[in-house]
Amino acid sequence: QALSSSPPPLSHAGSLLLAVHFYSLPRAAPLIPSTALGALLLNFAALLAYAGIRRSLRNASLFLTLCLTTSVFWCGYGVVLILGGQGVLSDSGDFCDALVPGLVTFALALLIIAVVGFLCREVLLALVASAVSLASAHEVAVHCRPAFGSSAVACNYLIVCLLGGYFALGRILCFLSKEKIALPGTDLSKSKTREQIQPTGGSTNRFAVTGLILNMLSASIFGCRLLGITGKLFIGHVPWLWAAGIYQLGICVLSYRAMDVLMATFFGFTSVLKLAGGYCLLYPIWQPEEPSFPTPFLVVFSILFVVLALFLTLQSPVDGLYLLVYVASCVALACSPKGFFEGGPQGVDVAIFVASALMALLHLHNVTARAKIPTGRGAVKALLARGGFPKLREGTDLHAPYLGYSKYADAEVLGYASSVLASFALTVTGDPQAPLATVVIPWVLVAGGILKLLSGSVAFARGKTLESSAFILYAVMWIIWGLARYGGLYGTTRSFHAAVGIIAFMLFNAFVVLCTLFLNMAWFLYSLTFFLIALSFLLDAVHALPAGYDIAATLIFGLVSFYCFLSALCSSIFEGSCLLMGRPIVQLSGVGGGMSKCLHLPARKAASVKRIADILRNGGTCGIPTDTVYVLVAACNRPDAVEKAHHSKRQAQDRPMSLWISSLKQLEPAKHLFTPLLWDFMEAAWPSPISLVVPRGEWVDFLGMKDSAKYVGTPQSIAIRIPDCSVTTHLIDLVGPIVVTSANPTGEADTTHHNQVYAKLGDKVDAVLCDGPSPENIASTVVDCTKIDSGNIGFFRVGIIPKSQVKLTLILFLLP
């Protein structure tokens, strides 16, 4: 938690190292060896990334961008320092050529962050970004003209150290004074409130800015070579490219967390280009000539970028136009036999750098400032509505609920696209004598392997067990086969072993095909046509591949994957399906029963709470959010609903249901049946995530449960609670006291998201009140108050409230 609220101290620590390093440069031997400095910067880069991502959940957009941008900077910088310290960059000028493209990029990127920070009155963050930007610019000057001296660089990093010290002092004073004393710019609660009151207008992807800065970084590497800023492309640029690619994969995952399917897919695509670019620069390790590029793959890649740009234009025309520069980049690579090493692609990279800088400024301003720069979204929305087109999805609450833990948007779009890309890589014929002469491994390994693994992981997180299993199985197949076939890892003697492994994969895929009979037609064809790809692998392993078979298999599997890609895109953009995936081929009674969706209502709307109340009053059972985890509830005055809730949970006798009220006024008619000490303790302890187990008595009859009262509590006691959640207490005000149990089958983990309720009880409840992730992942504390009159309390379960706090409440409020 301390890390997530203190980026200036973290940046202060890394900047202190760099300040010492640059002050000691005039010495014969640096005070901190390059290898040690690089390793320390890598550690601080990881901590900054953690701090930014953790803090991002609190809606601090500028903070997030500064942390992640500085993290990438120090990651690439640290690896370059390690390479220099180990003698890899031994030639004269290599160290300068390796550092300058990254320094130029981050000087401009941090300047953009600083400008937006000053405009949004985030002065401290803006000053930190300005200082690091100036340090990077001065370091570029030092490398270009050594006479400039490194003191200016050290001074800028020293400013960051002072700002970090100021921030740390402010946070310490704020903590010691219990937030009564706060130095200007160090009160995080005010910054949080200022961002939260801004209108969002739907879902906002705060991670996109960092992704755009990463696009600037990779484009800078090749653009600097074209402009003559660097003398050559070599291994010293690989740290920047691979750091950008790896962080881009992380931004892809975080964009799914932000429910932004299109930008997540785009960042997945661009990560392929970055990792492929770094791979190409390693060619001197295995061959003297520059590698060649496969044209079919890049043509298909450009088509996918065009389709993605068209769909993104429907959401934001400016973003759609931006994607066209990547279409041009893929076309330029397809037309250049030597790919990244030729002037055409490098010229497009200059355009990508400029466009990415402008888009980063636009996105950062729009997610941080109150006044927004128009992107044409409203005009497209009105045009579609006037033309009778399907309605666009807006906001995270309009994402169709799926079984499982849907803190993420659906990643199937990226999974299908990676299948298209990997399949067309098969059209390249590998040369057994020079297997690495053509750039194929990045396309198969990253597109077919890493991106598909990412898609499978997100699908698994959403509860799509079959889809995730298939994606992960295919990813493993692409990785193993890509390395074996195009990396020269198997020969005649290993063909038999490769064939046995491929046959094992085909058997697993046969099971997947069987299961897809109960899913839909598109998935059945998708898994079935993968058999053609696997058969191509098998025939090639035994050296019996007929001429043209791999082309035919690629076309069939690629077209099926492309249709699935379009269908998933339509589903993510429009309400309702434009391109259907088809119905299950085989429908059996009981199969897929859990897929039936009950009514889902957003908790932020008062009308939703009223509708849930009507369902409960009519004898229904519902899943609702609370101050801890999600629970299953029924109205006390509906005995049939109480019994239904008991049976739907398969409630164990040792875990009885409890009783919730909204205030003690609901028990006022039976107050005389409670002891004064117990009543006072209930007043002192509630509302809170504390359940009090009280003696069972005649007061239970006032609740109207009749015969169903046997399902609540034990014959001797009942647990009661007033939740500290406005939505829940408002619902109880409308319905009256409710019977509560955890929203999961007995013995399973607590549910912490509304889609987990669908996964576990979706076909057994009438509605779910959806409020996203639970505020806490721990259940309430259950206190035994049956012997409180003797001054003793016990604990059945210690949850979010510790024992010490409960006992302190008893001592402070009740005992003389």
Side-chain angles (χ1 to χ4, degrees):
Q1 187 175 2
L3 284 174
S4 67
S5 60
S6 330
L10 279 175
S11 59
H12 148 256
S15 298
L16 180 60
L17 291 174
L18 291 171
V20 171
H21 170 72
F22 283 104
Y23 270 124
S24 67
L25 273 186
R27 295 162 53 101
L31 190 62
I32 306 176
S34 294
T35 303
L37 179 60
L40 289 171
L41 285 178
L42 287 177
N43 289 328
F44 284 117
L47 291 174
L48 269 176
Y50 169 79
I53 294 171
R54 182 178 176 87
R55 180 69 183 172
S56 72
L57 303 178
R58 304 183 186 182
N59 202 24
S61 304
L62 197 68
F63 179 98
L64 163 70
T65 306
L66 177 60
C67 281
L68 291 183
T69 302
T70 309
S71 176
V72 181
F73 180 27
W74 286 352
C75 180
Y77 198 114
V79 178
V80 172
L81 288 173
I82 292 173
L83 293 178
Q86 295 301 309
V88 177
L89 307 178
S90 56
D91 293 345
S92 176
D94 278 0
F95 192 71
C96 174
D97 283 347
L99 281 178
V100 166
L103 293 172
V104 169
T105 299
F106 289 105
L108 178 58
L110 290 165
L111 179 62
I112 291 172
I113 296 173
V115 169
V116 176
F118 283 122
L119 291 176
C120 299
R121 299 180 183 178
E122 293 285 355
V123 179
L124 187 61
L125 295 179
L127 288 174
V128 171
S130 300
V132 181
S133 175
L134 286 174
S136 301
H138 283 145
E139 189 174 353
V140 172
V142 170
H143 287 298
C144 293
R145 292 189 178 181
F148 187 81
S150 58
S151 298
V153 184
C155 288
N156 283 297
Y157 282 120
L158 187 60
I159 292 174
V160 179
C161 297
L162 295 175
L163 291 171
Y166 170 81
F167 184 86
L169 177 63
R171 295 307 301 157
I172 292 172
L173 289 175
C174 190
F175 174 77
L176 293 178
S177 64
K178 296 182 178 179
E179 299 188 356
K180 293 181 180 178
I181 301 176
L183 297 178
T186 64
D187 191 351
L188 297 178
S189 60
K190 290 183 179 179
S191 299
K192 176 184 174 183
T193 303
R194 183 164 61 249
E195 283 205 11
Q196 285 181 337
I197 62 176
Q198 295 177 16
T200 58
S203 60
T204 300
N205 184 1
R206 300 188 303 275
F207 306 99
V209 179
T210 307
L212 294 168
I213 292 173
L214 295 174
N215 290 343
M216 292 172 57
L217 177 57
S218 59
S220 174
I221 300 296
F222 301 105
C224 284
R225 175 66 189 92
L226 177 70
L227 299 175
I229 298 175
T230 56
K232 59 181 177 179
L233 296 172
F234 67 118
I235 193 173
H237 296 137
V238 175
W240 297 116
L241 289 169
W242 280 7
I246 293 170
Y247 273 80
Q248 196 81 293
L249 289 173
I251 297 298
C252 174
V253 175
L254 292 170
S255 295
Y256 282 119
R257 182 68 181 265
M259 297 295 174
D260 192 348
V261 175
L262 297 184
M263 289 304 287
T265 306
F266 168 63
F267 291 138
F269 285 178
T270 54
S271 69
V272 178
L273 295 174
K274 293 174 175 59
L275 294 172
Y279 168 86
C280 292
L281 300 189
L282 296 175
Y283 78 91
I285 297 176
W286 55 76
Q287 65 185 36
E289 300 86 9
E290 295 172 349
S292 59
F293 278 64
T295 300
F297 175 89
L298 293 165
V299 170
V300 171
F301 210 172
S302 64
I303 293 173
L304 292 179
F305 267 118
V306 168
V307 174
L308 188 63
L310 290 175
F311 278 88
L312 192 57
T313 302
L314 299 177
Q315 285 193 343
S316 173
V318 174
D319 290 336
L321 291 173
Y322 169 65
L323 259 66
L324 293 181
V325 294
Y326 275 93
V327 177
S329 177
C330 290
V331 172
L333 287 171
C335 297
S336 305
K338 297 301 181 181
F340 295 110
F341 298 94
E342 297 197 25
Q346 292 173 5
V348 178
D349 279 319
V350 174
I352 289 176
F353 182 88
V354 175
S356 298
L358 294 175
M359 291 299 297
L361 176 61
L362 185 148
H363 275 264
L364 185 59
H365 181 274
N366 283 353
V367 299
T368 307
R370 296 187 182 183
K372 309 298 181 185
I373 300 175
T375 61
R377 180 183 179 89
V380 173
K381 183 179 176 181
L383 184 63
L384 291 176
R386 194 175 305 168
F389 290 95
K391 186 179 179 182
L392 293 176
R393 291 185 184 274
E394 290 184 297
T396 58
D397 58 318
L398 288 181
H399 280 267
Y402 290 93
L403 301 181
Y405 320 123
S406 70
K407 294 180 181 179
Y408 301 89
D410 202 335
E412 288 191 13
V413 175
L414 185 59
Y416 297 132
S418 61
S419 294
V420 177
L421 293 173
S423 63
F424 276 90
L426 286 179
T427 58
V428 179
T429 304
D431 184 359
Q433 303 302 322
L436 302 178
T438 304
V439 180
V440 181
I441 287 182
W443 316 128
V444 177
L445 191 65
V446 179
I450 296 176
L451 292 186
K452 198 172 285 294
L453 277 175
L454 187 152
S455 304
S457 301
V458 174
F460 182 80
R462 292 175 60 82
K464 294 189 170 185
T465 308
L466 176 58
E467 294 92 325
S468 65
S469 300
F471 280 145
I472 293 172
L473 175 68
Y474 298 165
V476 173
M477 186 68 179
W478 285 116
I479 291 173
I480 295 175
W481 181 250
L483 290 174
R485 180 177 182 181
Y486 297 104
L489 299 183
Y490 83 94
T492 305
T493 57
R494 301 179 187 175
S495 296
F496 173 76
H497 304 87
V500 171
I502 295 168
I503 291 173
F505 273 105
M506 294 177 73
L507 291 176
F508 279 113
N509 191 51
F511 177 73
V512 173
V513 173
L514 178 63
C515 293
T516 56
L517 291 172
F518 307 97
L519 187 58
N520 56 56
M521 175 64 77
W523 254 100
F524 172 73
L525 294 175
Y526 177 70
S527 59
L528 184 64
T529 52
F530 187 77
F531 260 121
L532 301 176
I533 301 294
L535 184 59
S536 173
F537 296 164
L538 178 61
L539 294 175
D540 186 67
V542 298
H543 306 288
L545 182 65
Y549 175 83
D550 52 349
I551 303 295
T554 292
L555 290 175
I556 295 173
F557 180 70
L559 289 175
V560 172
S561 300
F562 187 71
Y563 175 85
C564 294
F565 167 71
L566 291 177
S567 177
L569 268 179
C570 291
S571 178
S572 65
I573 291 297
F574 300 111
E575 294 185 19
S577 298
C578 302
L579 295 175
L580 299 177
M581 297 288 281
R583 294 185 177 183
I585 298 175
V586 179
Q587 292 182 335
L588 298 178
S589 176
V591 176
M595 295 295 291
S596 59
K597 299 183 179 70
C598 57
L599 185 66
H600 59 284
L601 302 167
R604 60 184 176 82
K605 294 184 178 180
S608 301
V609 179
K610 183 177 181 298
R611 191 166 181 185
I612 293 289
D614 292 337
I615 293 172
L616 293 176
R617 281 194 291 259
N618 291 328
T621 59
C622 300
I624 65 169
T626 69
D627 50 347
T628 54
V629 296
Y630 278 77
V631 295
L632 176 65
V633 302
C636 282
N637 56 8
R638 292 301 302 255
D640 54 337
V642 175
E643 185 173 355
K644 177 183 175 183
H646 172 83
H647 291 306
S648 65
K649 259 291 298 274
R650 304 193 300 271
Q651 196 75 22
Q653 295 300 321
D654 59 340
R655 295 187 180 182
M657 294 189 287
S658 59
L659 173 69
W660 283 14
I661 55 178
S662 59
S663 69
L664 282 175
K665 291 182 180 180
Q666 293 179 328
L667 293 179
E668 194 74 33
K671 180 178 179 179
H672 62 283
L673 299 176
F674 294 89
T675 64
L677 185 60
L678 177 58
W679 189 269
D680 291 341
F681 185 52
M682 289 192 294
E683 284 186 329
W686 293 333
S688 71
I690 300 175
S691 297
L692 303 181
V693 178
V694 303
R696 198 182 189 100
E698 296 179 0
W699 60 271
V700 178
D701 298 334
F702 286 84
L703 302 176
M705 289 187 287
K706 300 181 181 178
D707 292 340
S708 65
K710 62 184 178 182
Y711 300 120
V712 183
T714 67
Q716 295 79 29
S717 61
I718 291 181
I720 315 178
R721 182 156 87 93
I722 298 179
D724 190 13
C725 176
S726 57
V727 172
T728 310
T729 52
H730 178 54
L731 178 64
I732 300 173
D733 285 336
L734 296 175
V735 178
I738 58 176
V739 170
V740 176
T741 183
S742 58
N744 55 273
T746 302
E748 295 189 13
D750 293 321
T751 49
T752 57
H753 195 279
H754 60 257
N755 279 332
Q756 295 182 29
V757 181
Y758 291 112
K760 298 177 179 181
L761 300 173
D763 55 348
K764 298 177 181 177
V765 296
D766 297 293
V768 175
L769 193 60
C770 304
D771 196 32
S774 298
E776 303 292 343
N777 294 328
I778 307 174
S780 63
T781 297
V782 182
V783 182
D784 182 5
C785 297
T786 55
K787 299 180 181 178
I788 193 173
D789 290 328
S790 61
N792 295 322
I793 59 174
F795 292 86
F796 289 110
R797 180 180 68 197
V798 178
I800 188 173
I801 304 297
K803 287 184 180 181
S804 58
Q805 185 173 336
V806 177
K807 291 180 178 179
L808 183 63
T809 302
L810 181 64
I811 293 172
L812 293 179
F813 291 94
L814 302 179
L815 297 183

